[in-house]
Amino acid sequence: MSQYRPMTEEELRERVRKLKAEYNPDRVDMFTFRGAQYDHGLAWVHFPEGYGGLGINPKMQAIVADELRKGVETVYDDLAINPIGIGMGAPTLMTYGSDELKRALLRKCFTGEEIWCQLFSEPGAGSDVAGLATRAVRDGDDWVVNGQKVWTTLAHVAKWGLLVARTNPDVPKHEGLSYFLLDMHSPGVEVRPLYQITGEAEFNEVFLNDVRIPHRYMLGQEGQGWQVAITTLMNERTALGGGSTQKGGGPIQVLMQLWNARPPKRHAPAEAAVLRDRITRLYIESELLRLTALRARAMMRAGNPGPEGSVGKLAQAELYKKIWECGMDVLGEEALVYEPGYALRRPAHEERRDKVLLAKYQFLRSRANSIEGGTSEIMRNILGERVLGLPGEPRTDKGIPWKDIPRGG
Amino acid sequence: MDFAFTPEHEELRQTVRRFLQDRSDEATVRRLMVTEEGFDRATWAQLAEQLGLTALIVPEEFGGSGLGPVELAITMEEMGRTLFCAPYFSTAVLATSVLREAASDAARQELLPAIAAGKKIVAVAWAESPGIWEPADVRLKAQHGRRGWTLTGEKTAVIDGQTADEILVVARTREGLSLFRVSGSADGLQREALPTLDLTRKLARVRFQKTPAECIAASADVEAQLQRAFLLGLVALAAEQAGGAQQCLDMSTQHAKTRWQFGRPIGSFQAIKHRCADMLVAVEFAKSAAYHAAFRAAEGDAGELDAAARMAKSYCSDAFFQVANDTIQVHGGMGFTWEHPAHLYFKRAKSSALLFGDPVHHRDKLAAIIGV
């Protein structure tokens, strides 16, 4: 990729050391440190200078992460701070946003001062995102938005929302969409918690009643919303399917720790053997998920992106569900008792250090793995059609104006 | 570095693939699999002389190419794709690996150049009960008498044992595990070709009755050396399985694109498409497992290899079987016929899964390594 300017690993490391010398992450607060990291071009190294980057190869971000870890206790996890803003919003904004928007938003996105959420799904449009019904109508310099979104992670704390809305119902569904950045504090935005199977409300319903969005907050052109949304979704799936980067790390590590903390006293030898084989299978699949992601990266580097990368999201979702199911079986009757008051609260996204609590929580939470960010069925369609080249299903909505497509109740 | 295939690796893959397209097409496989020898001597000679593949992992000092596990995995993967009928696995992989790791210099001097040149078929007699393959499980006794060593006992699942010019026998002496060499024409040697599920890989039962044998390795390290050879065999087999699985997936997607029912290609139905997508995940994971094991073997770290090889054999066995099974299903009634190649892969998949210890066996060993 010749558009990236060269920089040696040592120069980059030196830059990180300089940052840490001026702003010791153990001594300054998160916003200050991450703000300085952004100003030093170390937030997204492949972004241009002045936008949190240095215009160098994105591979080198790993060097920054490595150097940041050295000799300090405080290490920030981007995706824990602002998963949607950093993982999906920033790359979309970088590709389609105006300079004015980039300057106004990228820094606070990276520091975590402003949390982002994603307003794509609707009660009537889940996997079929392009079928969404939220309307945006032009009124002078503004767009006036009405509709309802759902499954909106972090909406209750978000300052900015990535919104796709229908600006033209008279053309086929993919052509009539536009993409906006919505200030979640605008009048007419109402966020209601949506309690989940875990008893928590990480998700929300968002009601949009005559919400006004200035035209300059549109990303891409009018009617180009689907292409912009694809950028967001591709970044989402990349963020979602590579497993742990560490050998034996991630969920399988927790499962093995649970197993080893409970010598198979409760089980007859034959039962223990069955569980042990199940755990070993899951260990193998976890390793292969990790190794397949490494292989995908090697192929990318060699300039031959193959199917290795696209299997990750599907494989990870199905694997994680199996791991946490097995966790419950390892815990046995201990798993019947949940922590008091687990039902109906809003999570503060605290870390769950207690392995038993984590396993019980994840057993429920991981049900969403095969639904969020593209269901396993959608992922199989994508693998079948885009990787294996199998023919698409006959579509009854192709070429038909959105307003004429039949919709269920 | 993981998975860094070089341009030379890609070239090797293309060379092997082109050769096999020519020499191991379906009609040839079907013709050879019902013969007693199970392979074509002229093709074997070409494989040795033109491609140098029998010399692949033979050290250079013994007339070989001195290449390693990664090149071997690439070759085996391609052979697995076409169910290549030849004593390659027995001779160029197992026997070569056993000789390289364990045998005396004299034995290497005599056998490795002959193997490299494609002049000798050499089998390894190891398992005594079906599916029991670890070096520690060997019980067959070797006795030393006035006229040297003799072997008495029985070995099973000896790959190409029926046709081999020489047989390398893993046996036990009072001192421990040792390696012996027996000529194919030795007295007291009885070889019986076994009727096998997988027609494309020949297995024999071999009986020894005071059969004269030459001891070619007897040091205290033999068990560890044989273990390394065995693990390399697992890596090669896993790569072969990954290749077979890829071929099954290719056949299935091809069929799903061209077979029409209810007015549309069957691959447009989610029932078929999703099955193919699951096959793809299994194939990609199988490749990751096999390549990872091959690169670990090339690094020569025994501990890492033990885990990686068992992981690969276990996963690739299950994946190949699943994919071969799904291939029959995707092909419908046609997939159940003798005329269609699906059953050949299906049978190879089950046989390979059970050969060298089944997936449960290797997961049991792996569990101990990773502390489960």
Side-chain angles (χ1 to χ4, degrees):
Chain A
M1 293 286 235
S2 55
Q3 83 256 32
Y4 296 120
R5 77 181 181 83
M7 179 178 255
T8 68
E9 183 179 330
E10 192 43 42
E11 281 167 352
L12 186 58
R13 285 190 188 277
E14 183 50 41
R15 213 178 161 86
V16 180
R17 283 195 288 266
K18 196 163 147 261
L19 162 72
K20 282 161 67 184
E22 285 172 42
Y23 299 87
N24 184 329
D26 291 338
R27 302 226 181 87
V28 300
D29 67 28
M30 180 172 92
F31 296 154
T32 307
F33 179 75
R34 290 178 66 85
Q37 184 181 345
Y38 180 93
D39 297 337
H40 279 68
L42 299 169
W44 300 279
V45 294
H46 58 294
F47 281 16
E49 289 189 73
Y51 298 100
L54 296 167
I56 63 175
N57 196 310
K59 277 193 310 198
M60 298 186 84
Q61 194 70 44
I63 296 166
V64 175
D66 181 56
E67 195 62 44
L68 279 175
R69 232 176 275 132
K70 289 184 184 165
V72 292
E73 296 212 346
T74 313
V75 178
Y76 295 109
D77 174 359
D78 292 350
L79 291 185
I81 289 167
N82 188 6
I84 293 157
I86 293 177
M88 307 160 217
T92 309
L93 183 61
M94 197 63 228
T95 312
Y96 290 102
S98 65
D99 276 359
E100 178 210 342
L101 282 181
K102 287 180 204 169
R103 288 196 192 282
L105 301 183
L106 278 174
R107 194 174 187 276
K108 285 182 177 168
C109 171
F110 183 74
T111 61
E113 280 161 271
E114 292 179 345
I115 303 295
W116 293 37
C117 66
Q118 181 187 324
L119 301 153
F120 283 21
S121 294
E122 296 186 3
S127 289
D128 181 14
V129 173
L132 57 83
T134 292
R135 286 281 278 124
V137 178
R138 185 82 189 241
D139 179 26
D141 278 347
D142 290 346
W143 290 86
V144 178
V145 185
N146 280 284
Q148 184 195 342
K149 296 288 177 175
V150 76
W151 318 128
T152 315
T153 307
L154 296 175
H156 57 293
V157 289
K159 163 69 176 166
W160 296 103
L162 303 165
L163 171 74
V164 186
R166 187 162 305 282
T167 45
N168 185 355
D170 299 323
V171 292
K173 62 181 185 178
H174 290 89
E175 295 167 25
L177 302 172
S178 297
Y179 195 114
F180 301 90
L181 270 173
L182 167 65
D183 181 341
M184 294 294 285
H185 300 161
S186 309
V189 177
E190 187 194 344
V191 177
R192 288 187 208 160
L194 194 59
Y195 291 97
Q196 302 145 211
I197 189 171
T198 57
E200 295 177 330
E202 327 165 70
F203 298 157
N204 304 273
E205 298 176 286
V206 178
F207 296 87
L208 304 164
N209 298 310
D210 289 330
V211 175
R212 300 190 81 88
I213 305 179
H215 179 71
R216 64 178 197 281
Y217 283 83
M218 183 184 276
L219 294 190
Q221 304 300 310
E222 182 182 341
Q224 206 191 355
W226 182 248
Q227 287 92 293
V228 185
I230 289 291
T231 306
T232 310
L233 292 173
M234 293 309 278
N235 281 293
E236 178 177 30
R237 282 170 196 155
T238 317
L240 281 178
S244 169
T245 51
Q246 232 185 342
K247 184 175 176 183
I252 190 65
Q253 185 175 28
V254 179
L255 178 62
M256 286 164 70
Q257 285 166 344
L258 282 180
W259 169 253
N260 285 323
R262 280 165 187 68
K265 273 181 259 158
R266 208 178 55 234
H267 303 283
E271 294 166 0
V274 171
L275 264 175
R276 183 170 176 261
D277 185 63
R278 223 171 117 190
I279 295 167
T280 311
R281 265 176 200 269
L282 295 170
Y283 171 86
I284 293 174
E285 286 184 45
S286 300
E287 269 296 275
L288 295 179
L289 177 67
R290 181 180 73 84
L291 292 166
T292 304
L294 281 180
R295 196 153 66 87
R297 245 173 279 158
M299 296 301 282
M300 290 284 270
R301 272 199 302 274
N304 287 319
E308 303 85 358
S310 43
V311 303
K313 161 73 173 86
L314 170 63
Q316 178 172 311
E318 299 304 318
L319 172 64
Y320 282 8
K321 285 167 76 172
K322 284 190 286 183
I323 289 177
W324 297 117
E325 284 157 28
C326 189
M328 292 294 276
D329 296 340
V330 167
L331 290 174
E333 281 187 15
E334 196 182 339
L336 298 182
V337 181
Y338 268 60
E339 60 238 80
Y342 93 89
L344 301 186
R345 63 190 168 79
R346 279 180 102 81
H349 283 269
E350 81 278 28
E351 244 201 290
R352 282 156 204 277
R353 291 181 203 282
D354 184 310
K355 303 279 185 266
V356 175
L357 292 182
L358 178 69
K360 290 191 285 196
Y361 167 78
Q362 287 289 9
F363 167 64
L364 298 172
R365 177 61 183 82
S366 61
R367 294 315 95 186
N369 291 166
S370 50
I371 302 169
E372 62 198 350
T375 63
S376 287
E377 286 68 28
I378 290 290
M379 297 318 294
R380 288 188 178 97
N381 280 351
I382 290 174
L383 292 182
E385 292 170 23
R386 300 208 197 131
V387 179
L388 297 175
L390 294 172
E393 276 191 287
R395 302 278 294 257
T396 51
D397 57 2
K398 218 170 190 171
I400 296 177
W402 176 80
K403 62 179 170 50
D404 300 330
I405 297 170
R407 269 175 286 281
Chain B
M1 267 274 258
D2 253 311
F3 308 126
F5 288 112
T6 62
E8 289 75 25
H9 288 143
E10 292 307 327
E11 206 178 299
L12 172 68
R13 184 184 292 285
Q14 291 313 319
T15 307
V16 179
R17 185 173 294 180
R18 272 196 304 273
F19 179 78
L20 294 172
Q21 261 162 13
D22 233 28
R23 297 294 162 145
S24 184
D25 58 303
E26 189 188 334
T28 307
V29 169
R30 285 176 182 274
R31 177 170 60 77
L32 292 173
M33 73 184 192
V34 292
T35 63
E36 200 170 309
E37 280 209 326
F39 73 106
D40 181 88
R41 297 237 170 219
T43 300
W44 183 251
Q46 272 190 320
L47 188 80
E49 288 155 24
Q50 291 171 20
L51 278 73
L53 288 181
T54 48
L56 200 71
I57 62 165
V58 174
E60 285 172 277
E61 52 184 311
F62 301 112
S65 318
L67 294 172
V70 176
E71 291 81 6
L72 183 64
I74 291 168
T75 305
M76 287 297 290
E77 190 185 348
E78 292 303 316
M79 289 181 173
R81 282 178 81 109
T82 70
L83 302 174
F84 181 48
C85 292
Y88 191 80
F89 189 46
S90 57
T91 302
V93 181
L94 274 185
T96 304
S97 183
V98 162
L99 286 166
R100 223 174 58 161
E101 294 293 343
S104 66
D105 271 349
R108 285 189 217 166
Q109 216 47 275
E110 268 186 64
L111 288 175
L112 285 176
I115 289 175
K119 304 277 189 236
K120 253 192 203 291
I121 309 300
V122 184
V124 177
W126 190 312
E128 292 162 28
S129 330
I132 310 280
W133 276 89
E134 300 288 330
D137 295 323
V138 170
R139 293 283 167 272
L140 186 133
K141 279 204 177 62
Q143 280 176 316
H144 198 266
R146 271 180 303 133
R147 294 157 76 184
W149 289 98
T150 57
L151 303 176
T152 300
E154 189 176 304
K155 294 279 188 182
T156 191
V158 180
I159 305 169
D160 300 316
Q162 177 69 2
T163 40
D165 302 307
E166 299 241 8
I167 302 178
L168 305 177
V169 187
V170 185
R172 215 162 264 286
T173 68
R174 245 174 292 172
E175 278 73 44
L177 214 56
S178 300
L179 183 64
F180 292 85
R181 173 183 167 189
V182 173
S183 157
S185 54
D187 292 336
L189 178 70
Q190 256 192 314
R191 307 196 266 181
E192 182 194 344
L194 298 170
T196 45
L197 166 68
D198 173 12
L199 298 167
T200 61
R201 180 140 53 212
K202 301 291 177 188
L203 298 177
R205 182 183 293 128
V206 181
R207 292 197 177 88
F208 304 89
Q209 280 180 306
K210 293 193 176 158
T211 309
E214 182 191 335
C215 182
I216 57 172
S219 78
D221 299 333
V222 169
E223 183 156 344
Q225 291 163 343
L226 287 173
Q227 180 73 13
R228 280 204 298 277
F230 174 63
L231 291 176
L232 186 70
L234 290 184
V235 175
L237 191 53
E240 186 194 87
Q241 291 171 317
Q246 176 73 62
Q247 184 64 24
C248 283
L249 172 61
D250 290 350
M251 285 194 295
S252 299
T253 41
Q254 190 52 36
H255 182 72
K257 285 178 203 176
T258 48
R259 168 81 177 165
W260 284 57
Q261 295 278 271
F262 305 103
R264 51 198 257 215
I266 61 168
S268 67
F269 291 100
Q270 288 194 343
I272 302 292
K273 186 178 295 170
H274 288 192
R275 196 181 277 266
C276 291
D278 287 337
M279 292 163 83
L280 173 69
V281 175
V283 168
E284 288 303 323
F285 272 30
K287 286 184 182 176
S288 297
Y291 299 163
H292 171 65
F295 279 97
R296 294 292 80 77
E299 281 164 11
D301 180 329
E304 288 280 316
L305 173 60
D306 200 5
R310 292 180 193 281
M311 190 162 89
K313 174 58 167 62
S314 155
Y315 188 83
C316 293
S317 292
D318 287 339
F320 187 15
F321 184 70
Q322 176 209 320
V323 172
N325 199 21
D326 286 345
T327 298
I328 294 180
Q329 186 66 22
V330 169
H331 284 80
M334 193 189 296
F336 186 68
T337 63
W338 191 268
E339 279 75 17
H340 194 276
H343 74 99
L344 301 178
Y345 288 89
F346 176 76
K347 291 168 181 173
R348 171 67 74 86
K350 190 37 107 180
S351 304
S352 303
L354 300 179
L355 191 69
F356 283 16
D358 64 19
V360 176
H361 167 76
H362 290 293
R363 282 198 295 272
D364 178 51
K365 297 277 180 187
L366 177 65
I369 297 170
I370 60 175
V372 168

